[in-house]
Amino acid sequence: MPRRIASHKIPVDRISRSAIRVVESLRKAHYETYLVGGCVRDLLLGLVPKDFDVATSATPEEVKKVFPRARLIGRRFRIVHVRVGREIIEVSTFRKQIGPNDTSNYNEHEARDGVIVRDNVYGNIDEDAFRRDFTVNALYYDPANNIVLDFVKGMQDIGSRTLRLIGNPKVRYQEDPVRILRAIRLTAKLDFTLEKSTEKAIAPAGESLNVVPSARLFDELNKLFMSGKAERAFELLQKFNLLEILFPLSSDATDLVTAALYSTDQRIAQEKPVTPGFILAALLWNHYRSQYNALATIGNPQEKQFDAARTVIQEQQHTIAIPKRHAFFMRDVWHLQSRLERRTPRSIRPLLEHRRFRAAYDFLLLRARNAEVEPGLAQWWTEIQTLNPTEQQEQISALSPQKKKRRRRPKRENA
Ligand code: ATP
Ligand code: MG
């Protein structure tokens, strides 16, 4: 039986109206329905939830009957996206945990070597609680009665700020190795302590990340980098020796990477736009450069840059599927570095107008701070952006090498 907690501190006004409407509609149709997961956890911690997840006894098809315009998504894990206004509420059906050797539900549940590849066997709410990852993620909130349901002593862990896997950590990481990255991301994001056995099982399970589809790894790493606590999360990846598994090309993290993580965290705190491409560009920068240098010295430098970028990104794709738009971003930031360093007078204006100028300039600043380029160069690019067009022209002209005076040929004397 769950504990029913009425004396919690969930600020009701912070709950999305849309999420409550979804819960109410499903309840009206007689399905048992709650808010669950990250939103309940964050509300209890006084944080603003990123999104709202709903858990229900209705199957995806039944949810769709209640919300005809909703979309069924996912195969490994089927859920329903209900759009209310501009918000998307994720609705998942209560599921139950299936033992590793149980094959009786083959169509809905499948595990290969202990790794769950399909997880669609529905169950009731208490079964659902135990198949969730961490105790603090398995709290259910009933908005109609303003009560939290706790099956796994999650409230206690909220109180002591502890991240604890439900069940046997070794088995739970093996079933779904992405939980390793979730453990790291949530520890960093919430500033929690990892419970001992939850922590101890991480490093030995690291290798199993190799079996996770590369697209899913990208999604999870993207969340980790964009969590606002990327620097801390990255330290944890290093601590558990996960860097060599995820980024075999750059397992020795450089100061440039730390600087890129720090700058991303700062920008998120200031609500400025960020992209995982910037961190990935920093992570693979050294490898890109050595790849470029390894190409024969003859040949068109631009082609060599393209070749080097393509090779590095392709190699990284073996583990993490970097979406095209991010790959293009990385390539542009890399290529622009040499143009920013060269400062050819004719290229200055086009560079200032290049759509990736800002990102490439930010990257150059980090490199300057790490003594990779002379500080005067970064300074010059900082200044030129503050000048009006006439002043800019003066600066650009000052770059031009002095026009060589034509040497007069001595006149041949006629014989
Ligand atoms: P946030 O949305 O803040 O990133 P979250 O915990 O809500 O964090 P979601 O990916 O939205 O993360 O997942 C919602 C809930 O689904 C989780 O809180 C957890 O209960 C459950 N869950 C998600 N991923 C897993 C997993 N790999 N294994 C078991 N349960 C999971
Ligand atoms: Mg969530």
Side-chain angles (χ1 to χ4, degrees):
M1 281 296 278
R3 276 184 60 214
R4 296 169 62 83
I5 299 138
S7 59
H8 57 76
K9 295 206 186 85
I10 290 188
V12 178
D13 54 330
R14 278 211 194 152
I15 306 176
S16 136
R17 292 297 315 151
S18 318
I20 293 187
R21 266 177 46 201
V22 171
V23 174
E24 282 172 353
S25 304
L26 286 163
R27 286 191 167 197
K28 235 200 228 146
H30 306 294
Y31 298 110
E32 201 185 343
T33 308
Y34 298 89
L35 289 178
V36 71
C39 62
V40 181
R41 175 198 73 213
D42 289 352
L43 287 166
L44 287 165
L45 290 167
L47 303 170
V48 182
K50 198 170 69 30
D51 49 37
F52 286 82
D53 300 305
V54 166
T56 180
S57 60
T59 63
E61 290 72 19
E62 288 167 338
V63 174
K64 195 153 163 67
K65 283 211 184 104
V66 178
F67 304 101
R69 287 171 12 155
R71 289 183 50 201
L72 269 70
I73 61 163
R75 246 161 39 101
R76 190 188 67 87
F77 195 92
R78 300 173 65 212
I79 56 169
V80 186
H81 274 178
V82 181
R83 186 185 275 278
V84 187
R86 282 199 293 156
E87 244 178 299
I88 288 180
I89 309 296
E90 261 186 33
V91 182
S92 57
T93 306
F94 296 147
R95 280 164 168 74
K96 65 176 165 195
Q97 180 87 359
I98 300 284
N101 300 319
D102 182 349
T103 52
S104 55
N105 293 287
Y106 189 79
N107 283 334
E108 296 85 24
H109 185 277
E110 186 185 352
R112 288 187 206 138
D113 300 329
V115 182
I116 298 176
V117 289
R118 207 161 341 124
D119 187 7
N120 294 316
V121 179
Y122 305 128
N124 54 32
I125 183 169
D126 42 322
E127 290 167 320
D128 188 72
F130 286 94
R131 67 91 196 160
R132 289 184 180 267
D133 48 6
F134 305 102
T135 58
V136 295
N137 280 351
L139 295 164
Y140 298 76
Y141 178 69
D142 167 356
N145 300 301
N146 194 20
I147 276 175
V148 174
L149 297 187
D150 182 2
F151 297 83
V152 293
K153 299 199 181 139
M155 283 302 258
Q156 224 166 287
D157 287 336
I158 290 272
S160 62
R161 306 182 76 84
T162 305
L163 198 73
R164 184 193 310 270
L165 265 176
I166 299 168
N168 177 336
K170 188 169 167 241
V171 176
R172 301 302 314 277
Y173 288 137
Q174 191 193 8
E175 279 173 358
D176 184 2
V178 163
R179 289 173 187 150
I180 295 173
L181 299 180
R182 289 179 56 85
I184 287 174
R185 170 167 67 90
L186 292 174
T187 305
K189 173 179 144 172
L190 304 171
D191 198 14
F192 267 34
T193 308
L194 277 164
E195 178 273 327
K196 272 221 174 68
S197 66
T198 302
E199 176 170 17
K200 243 178 74 186
I202 293 184
E207 289 282 340
S208 59
L209 281 168
N210 283 321
V211 304
V212 178
S214 55
R216 196 164 168 233
L217 272 190
F218 176 82
D219 286 345
E220 198 52 45
L221 275 171
N222 182 26
K223 285 193 202 164
L224 189 146
F225 287 150
M226 302 290 103
S227 66
K229 292 289 167 70
E231 198 184 358
R232 172 81 188 117
F234 198 81
E235 283 167 10
L236 292 170
L237 289 179
Q238 278 180 294
K239 175 177 169 185
F240 298 117
N241 305 325
L242 300 175
L243 226 45
E244 54 249 49
I245 295 163
L246 298 167
F247 298 99
L249 304 175
S250 47
S251 46
D252 49 337
T254 57
D255 291 346
L256 187 74
V257 175
T258 314
L261 294 162
Y262 176 78
S263 133
T264 302
D265 288 347
Q266 294 284 308
R267 291 178 66 95
I268 289 175
Q270 296 157 10
E271 297 182 4
K272 291 186 185 164
V274 284
T275 160
F278 194 76
I279 294 175
L280 290 168
L283 263 166
L284 296 169
W285 169 243
N286 274 349
H287 193 67
Y288 162 75
R289 277 212 304 195
S290 49
Q291 193 68 33
Y292 177 80
N293 292 333
L295 295 170
T297 45
I298 40 167
N300 178 340
Q302 246 179 358
E303 267 172 32
K304 285 200 301 184
Q305 286 183 336
F306 272 93
D307 279 354
R310 189 178 335 108
T311 311
V312 171
I313 291 170
Q314 266 174 6
E315 278 180 55
Q316 179 61 61
Q317 306 272 24
H318 290 312
T319 40
I320 295 158
I322 303 170
K324 269 213 178 83
R325 66 178 189 286
H326 296 311
F328 288 149
F329 175 94
M330 294 159 70
R331 195 191 63 189
D332 288 349
V333 166
W334 290 340
H335 293 355
L336 286 172
Q337 295 308 301
S338 58
R339 293 179 64 191
L340 292 177
E341 284 176 62
R342 237 182 292 128
R343 276 189 297 176
T344 320
R346 267 190 314 164
S347 72
I348 305 296
R349 283 195 191 283
L351 276 170
L352 287 167
E353 277 154 29
H354 195 288
R355 67 192 197 104
R356 299 277 189 236
F357 170 77
R358 197 62 216 188
Y361 161 74
D362 285 339
F363 201 79
L364 185 78
L365 285 186
L366 298 190
R367 292 177 61 217
R369 239 177 275 151
N370 286 304
E372 262 191 47
V373 290
E374 48 155 320
L377 179 78
Q379 181 80 28
W380 190 90
W381 280 108
T382 306
E383 264 168 35
I384 192 124
Q385 294 173 67
T386 65
L387 304 178
N388 65 37
T390 325
E391 293 165 333
Q392 273 184 353
Q393 196 47 53
E394 279 169 21
Q395 285 282 22
I396 294 170
S397 307
L399 286 174
S400 311
Q402 289 278 314
K403 278 200 186 105
K404 283 182 200 144
K405 281 190 189 138
R406 272 230 215 121
R407 270 223 243 121
R408 283 252 190 91
R409 276 215 212 130
K411 258 190 188 165
R412 271 219 200 129
E413 292 199 352
N414 285 333

